[in-house]
Amino acid sequence: MILYGAPLSPFVRKVAAFAAEKGLELEKVPVGLGDPNPDFLACSPFRKMPGFADGDFKISDSTAIVTYLEAKYPDPALIPADPADRARTIWFDEFADTIVTAAGGKIFFNRVVSPKFMGKPGDEEAAKQGEAEMVPVYDYLESAIPASGFLVADRLTLADIAVVSPFVNVAHCGIAPDAAAYPKLAAYLAAILGRPSFAPGIAIERKILGLG
């Protein structure tokens, strides 16, 4: 199975971590902005990251990919079967992909992608707007994280994998929720991102960015 995409993409990171939690090996093929890689384009004709191939089956979009992996490799279950738990898992996945990534992306694009990879200064006002938009995200998650430390069903699910992934991009910009103000969220992020499915990849990303 092949995963195409930029290592710093929260969507690529989500799929990689999801696969790792299932014990699956993915061949990771880096793809940059505007990359004409024909194999990537065969999976993702609109250049949506990540692209994915499993033999003749090709598709893009992180949620579509993890849905495929869950159906083909159901153990361990990362998308619950219980109707309410499944619905909540999909809600958190959507929340992460749209709300959290949208806010964090304004910070990451303008403080990392634009200056480091495109050679253009970022829009600092847009980055500050992203920081402001992260505050209600912090508030919501602080109230939503159960005592178990997992968002759904008191165990690791796609909900946790999806939600923490865009926080990595924000952390690369030196921003994290204040542990004094958001103790549950800070502990939650440390625990999930410290798992073997995330930590090695984050270390590689930091090297790419020259963060040591």
Side-chain angles (χ1 to χ4, degrees):
M1 293 182 288
I2 305 173
L3 182 66
Y4 300 92
L8 295 168
S9 162
F11 304 114
V12 173
R13 187 184 302 116
K14 178 176 85 173
V15 173
F18 188 92
E21 289 288 347
K22 285 188 171 289
L24 301 174
E25 292 284 342
L26 299 181
E27 179 185 349
K28 298 170 186 174
V29 177
V31 174
L33 293 172
D35 195 316
N37 184 322
D39 294 326
F40 168 61
L41 293 177
C43 300
S44 184
F46 294 97
R47 301 178 187 271
K48 186 176 181 65
M49 290 190 193
F52 174 84
D54 184 10
D56 292 334
F57 176 72
K58 297 176 173 61
I59 200 164
S60 63
D61 183 82
S62 61
T63 300
I65 296 166
V66 299
T67 299
Y68 172 82
L69 293 175
E70 181 73 11
K72 188 168 183 178
Y73 303 97
D75 187 36
L78 296 178
I79 301 177
D82 175 81
D85 287 343
R86 177 171 290 198
R88 293 180 63 239
T89 298
I90 298 306
W91 147 248
F92 278 114
D93 182 55
E94 181 67 12
F95 164 72
D97 284 0
T98 57
I99 297 173
V100 186
T101 298
K106 292 177 183 176
I107 305 168
F108 187 69
F109 179 83
N110 288 292
R111 292 184 180 160
V112 174
V113 176
S114 189
K116 283 185 175 288
F117 299 108
M118 302 176 71
K120 298 188 293 186
D123 183 340
E124 185 56 24
E125 287 304 311
K128 289 179 179 178
Q129 181 182 348
E131 287 191 61
E133 291 173 2
M134 287 298 293
V135 174
V137 169
Y138 298 162
D139 291 338
Y140 170 65
L141 289 173
E142 182 69 17
S143 69
I145 297 168
S148 67
F150 299 106
L151 288 170
V152 178
D154 294 332
R155 62 180 179 83
L156 184 81
T157 67
L158 169 63
D160 305 298
I161 294 168
V163 164
V164 303
S165 185
F167 274 89
V168 176
N169 294 72
V170 177
H172 287 329
C173 299
I175 297 171
D178 179 12
Y182 302 102
K184 287 200 298 182
L185 176 56
Y188 170 77
L189 292 172
I192 304 299
L193 293 175
R195 295 175 70 92
S197 56
F198 275 104
I202 293 171
I204 292 171
E205 292 178 37
R206 290 182 60 82
K207 289 183 179 180
I208 291 172
L209 294 173
L211 298 175

